[in-house]
Amino acid sequence: MKKLLLPLALAALAGTAFASQCPGDMKAIDAKLATNPTLSADAMAKVKQLRADGEADHKAGKHADSVKKLGEAKKLLGI
């Protein structure tokens, strides 16, 4: 039983950590987008789609997926 509880506790803590990271990532992306970065139209569309998908995943409780998508958007923006 103890062997089962530890992984569950760690998973819960990891989910909480990801959950609090998402809003900060979205805020950083929004701030960078507000400065009109020099990106191609395709890259800008991809950033905006990743940002929207990341927020949707965050709201759905899929925080690991959200962090991944928001991280990709940040990378494209050079954050």
Side-chain angles (χ1 to χ4, degrees):
M1 185 69 165
K2 288 181 185 179
K3 290 182 181 183
L4 178 62
L5 290 178
L6 182 59
L8 290 175
L10 291 175
L13 289 174
T16 303
F18 282 140
S20 64
Q21 181 178 347
C22 302
D25 287 347
M26 289 184 278
K27 186 176 179 179
I29 291 166
D30 293 342
K32 186 68 173 188
L33 287 173
T35 66
N36 296 316
T38 54
L39 293 175
S40 68
D42 288 341
M44 183 64 79
K46 182 156 178 80
V47 167
K48 289 179 179 181
Q49 186 62 52
L50 287 166
R51 170 35 177 109
D53 292 347
E55 183 173 7
D57 285 345
H58 173 72
K59 289 179 178 179
K62 300 176 184 176
H63 300 292
D65 292 339
S66 176
V67 168
K68 182 180 176 185
K69 289 173 185 170
L70 295 172
E72 288 179 45
K74 287 172 61 177
K75 186 175 179 179
L76 288 170
L77 289 169
I79 300 175

